[in-house]
Amino acid sequence: MSVKSFILVSFSALALAVSAMAQDGLPYKVLGDPSGTSPYFFGPNAFPIPDMVKDTKDKVTAELSGDYFSGRLASEPDRTGSVGFAVRIPLWTDRVNLSVYGQMHEWYSDNPEVRALRGVSGKYPLTGHCSGDVYVSTDMRILDERKFVPALTLRAALKSASGDEYEKARYFDAPGYHFDICATKSFPFAGDGFLKSFKASFNFGFLCWQTDIGCQNDAWIVAGSLELDTAVANLSADLGGYYGREEYYDRPASLKIKLDIIPDRMVSPFLYYQHGIRHWPFDQFRAGVRFSFAPFRGARPSL
């Protein structure tokens, strides 16, 4: 099978999977008006703002990270800790990656004020733990960067309905998907000094998930990024979010700052901070490590 044929088959399989996961409206509804299916009324991992995919990888990469979230929904913070993972695998070419990522498990501590604002019954304990959602995506570099042309990377992602404890407003028990495209342009610095390049990226896409009244919520994804690459680390700042059609605390936006330390090494640590600006009332702190390796011998073909 050619690479182009594989991409077409991947898109078709993704569309069939989304159709197969469609289901009737969920019976439980206490979380807001009109549907309450927005990031404002759930835990921090339920409706995350997608991270930008600026390029594909030519090596297998695996990430393991720990997160701490401090909520700002009420006068007293609610707290969440979680363990996340991400795996990206090149598929026959460095231009196409299969990515699997999500939260393996989370531990949370709410307070009565937060529970009341989220419409959660007071009969449930304020602390607990639960499993998270898993995402599967196909990431494709459809255009290489040239002198006056940015690189273009397309992503097609599917969200599982594996998250637990919907009745406690931790995860939303329904599938979703999103498509987005990212344009990236690099501006190299002259010479072989400490500063390597400056990059600017713009991301646009479409996000959809099923609500608890038998309908779906559609949202536009918009984000921009500035990145500085140096000899020892990469520093990036992303500003963006998505804009749902319900207009009821349904337009989250955030600032994300990420520091990758020696990203070209086999083992590289990274730090990540996210501040919710609108409709995502959390501060997130992440520390993780990335492993990169090339298990396949020989050169990979290019499209």
Side-chain angles (χ1 to χ4, degrees):
M1 178 185 293
S2 68
V3 175
K4 292 182 179 179
S5 298
F6 175 79
I7 293 174
L8 292 174
V9 170
S10 298
F11 269 117
S12 300
L14 181 62
L16 290 173
V18 171
S19 299
M21 293 180 71
Q23 52 182 296
D24 294 332
L26 300 175
Y28 188 87
K29 182 181 183 300
V30 296
L31 296 175
D33 179 18
S35 72
T37 54
S38 73
Y40 200 75
F41 297 103
F42 282 81
N45 290 313
F47 291 91
I49 298 170
D51 289 334
M52 299 172 66
V53 174
K54 304 169 186 176
D55 200 359
T56 55
K57 306 292 185 181
D58 60 355
K59 297 180 180 180
V60 175
T61 64
E63 296 178 3
L64 184 64
S65 60
D67 294 299
Y68 170 77
F69 300 87
S70 179
R72 293 182 276 108
L73 183 63
S75 57
E76 294 293 328
D78 54 295
R79 296 178 172 87
T80 301
S82 60
V83 177
F85 74 98
V87 179
R88 295 177 176 86
I89 305 172
L91 298 179
W92 293 280
T93 171
D94 59 3
R95 300 176 70 106
V96 182
N97 289 174
L98 174 66
S99 299
V100 182
Y101 52 96
Q103 297 294 332
M104 291 185 288
H105 210 74
E106 76 170 34
W107 296 260
Y108 59 87
S109 176
D110 288 337
N111 59 61
E113 187 180 359
V114 168
R115 287 288 176 88
L117 290 170
R118 291 176 176 168
V120 176
S121 172
K123 69 180 182 180
Y124 297 112
L126 295 176
T127 61
H129 58 91
C130 58
S131 300
D133 289 328
V134 176
Y135 295 77
V136 180
S137 73
T138 302
D139 315 324
M140 293 159 283
R141 189 172 74 252
I142 59 177
L143 187 63
D144 289 324
E145 182 177 351
R146 296 181 176 85
K147 185 175 182 180
F148 299 107
V149 178
L152 292 180
T153 304
L154 177 67
R155 169 174 57 183
L158 180 67
K159 171 190 172 297
S160 74
S162 57
D164 290 338
E165 300 199 350
Y166 167 65
E167 68 280 1
K168 300 174 187 176
R170 299 311 305 178
Y171 287 90
F172 195 69
D173 188 19
Y177 62 89
H178 68 268
F179 299 87
D180 60 324
I181 189 166
C182 184
T184 302
K185 189 73 179 73
S186 301
F187 303 92
F189 292 100
D192 297 324
F194 177 76
L195 298 177
K196 297 299 183 181
S197 68
F198 174 80
K199 297 179 181 177
S201 302
F202 177 76
N203 190 60
F204 181 76
F206 173 77
L207 173 66
C208 178
W209 65 89
Q210 184 177 329
T211 71
D212 60 350
I213 56 175
C215 302
Q216 69 179 32
N217 193 359
D218 305 327
W220 296 110
I221 303 171
V222 180
S225 173
L226 299 176
E227 180 176 338
L228 180 64
D229 297 346
T230 73
V232 297
N234 295 349
L235 178 65
S236 64
D238 300 1
L239 179 63
Y242 57 83
Y243 302 84
R245 68 179 183 179
E246 291 191 348
E247 301 183 10
Y248 187 78
Y249 295 106
D250 193 24
R251 297 185 172 181
S254 71
L255 173 66
K256 303 175 181 179
I257 298 175
K258 187 174 183 180
L259 178 65
D260 281 298
I261 304 171
I262 319 179
D264 296 329
R265 298 289 181 87
M266 182 177 177
V267 180
S268 58
F270 59 88
L271 300 173
Y272 178 103
Y273 170 70
Q274 180 176 194
H275 173 72
I277 298 173
R278 180 181 62 188
H279 298 180
W280 191 77
F282 301 97
D283 288 292
Q284 175 187 6
F285 303 87
R286 170 179 291 177
V289 62
R290 179 185 301 107
F291 304 90
S292 302
F293 53 96
F296 309 108
R297 297 183 178 180
R300 293 183 177 275
S302 295
L303 293 179

